[in-house]
Amino acid sequence: MRALPWIIGGGVAAYALTRSRSTSTTAPTRSVPTAPLSGRWVWPVVRWNGRAPVISDGFDSPRPGLPRHGGVDIMFARTAADPYKAGTTNGTKMFVMPDGLSAVAASDGVVWSASQTPQGFAVVIDHTPLKAATFYTHLEKLLVTPTMSAKSGERVRAGQPIGVIGASPLDGEHLKHLHFELWLGGPSDRIDPAAIMRGWEVVTDPSALVARNAGFLYRPIGESGDAYPEWVRALRDKAGVYVIRDLESREIVYVGSSAGTLYETLTRHFQTWRRWKGFWRGQYGEGHDPGLTYPRNSVEVAVRLTSPAKSLDEEMRLIARLKPRDNLIGQVDRAEDTVPF
Ligand SMILES: [Zn+2]
């Protein structure tokens, strides 16, 4: 295995070794740096719905039957509105972690290893010329190229997604969280990063579709057969735009507008029977059935009211900005900010 010039031992292998020594009761610890590391450093967990992550279990915390904690665990402080029950894979009484959230590189560097381990996928990033490396584990998926023992070298930037946060297969509770370590010399020189992380920025996942929300409030619209919520019924003679996104993936699927019948125009997308009556015929060329109807319980909707004269312009602006999956005209770039007047 190619060793980092300054790492003594074998990185993840050495890490695994130290972790498997269950007779060991203390995590090796060196003096904690007080000065910030040079370069840009970010929390290795992205912001989630505007919330910054927190350390849910600190460095060196004792664990019955296991070595003391060699890094920090990162989750989100539970709020009353969080849907996850304590004791599930997504939460404890105090902390939560949603599905599918990205772990990101804490700083610029080179992927030194990215591989499956008994504790999930793990990544080590070498931050040379700093004598520093970072270690991320319990990932359920890698977003960097997996490395064989002798191959590596993929460059990553601070804040770049490197994996999807999961749970350790060895953890009986299967609690999703990121285990993160900062090594200032090698796996045996891991330090408590908590103090230094206070100065780190929290980034928004650049690959998250949720980042393209354009400030809209998305709300569910109920089940098929239910009355529509009051806020939908209130659109009956209004003008404006609507955005439909997939509830699960958060992908924006459709943007539309109406100059005065917003309720009818919007709710047509949830009346699947209309397709069979040819409702959409004439709006699109033959062979271009865009599949514009969606099961109500699979999507959520955001609405912005406009004047009747502005609704189409706003629709075009949003299509250019949000690039919805199913708008055929969305393929045409009409971004207004590219027009020089
Ligand atoms: Zn941990």
Side-chain angles (χ1 to χ4, degrees), residues 17-157:
L17 202 65
T18 60
R19 292 287 283 181
S20 65
R21 267 188 224 129
S22 57
T23 49
S24 150
T25 52
T26 51
T29 150
R30 290 288 170 93
S31 59
V32 176
T34 49
L37 299 165
S38 63
R40 182 179 181 223
W41 287 79
V42 305
W43 276 64
V45 174
V46 294
R47 201 173 282 281
W48 171 52
N49 288 344
R51 285 152 71 175
V54 297
I55 290 173
S56 55
D57 191 12
F59 185 81
D60 209 24
S61 71
R63 323 189 129 195
L66 289 171
R68 292 174 77 98
H69 201 201
V72 293
D73 290 346
I74 302 176
M75 299 179 71
F76 294 87
R78 178 181 281 283
T79 71
D82 286 330
Y84 312 112
K85 288 203 174 75
T88 65
T89 189
N90 296 109
T92 65
K93 276 168 92 169
M94 302 274 290
F95 303 101
V96 295
M97 175 58 76
D99 294 326
L101 205 71
S102 294
V104 297
S107 192
D108 293 358
V110 171
V111 175
W112 181 71
S113 73
S115 59
Q116 180 73 273
T117 78
Q119 300 192 7
F121 285 101
V123 174
V124 176
I125 298 174
D126 172 14
H127 302 290
T128 300
L130 283 181
K131 203 173 169 184
T134 46
F135 173 73
Y136 315 72
T137 193
H138 312 330
L139 303 172
E140 64 184 29
K141 184 182 169 190
L142 288 176
L143 298 176
V144 291
T145 309
T147 52
M148 306 302 288
S149 56
K151 289 183 191 164
S152 61
E154 181 176 354
R155 291 210 150 269
V156 289
R157 310 286 301 187

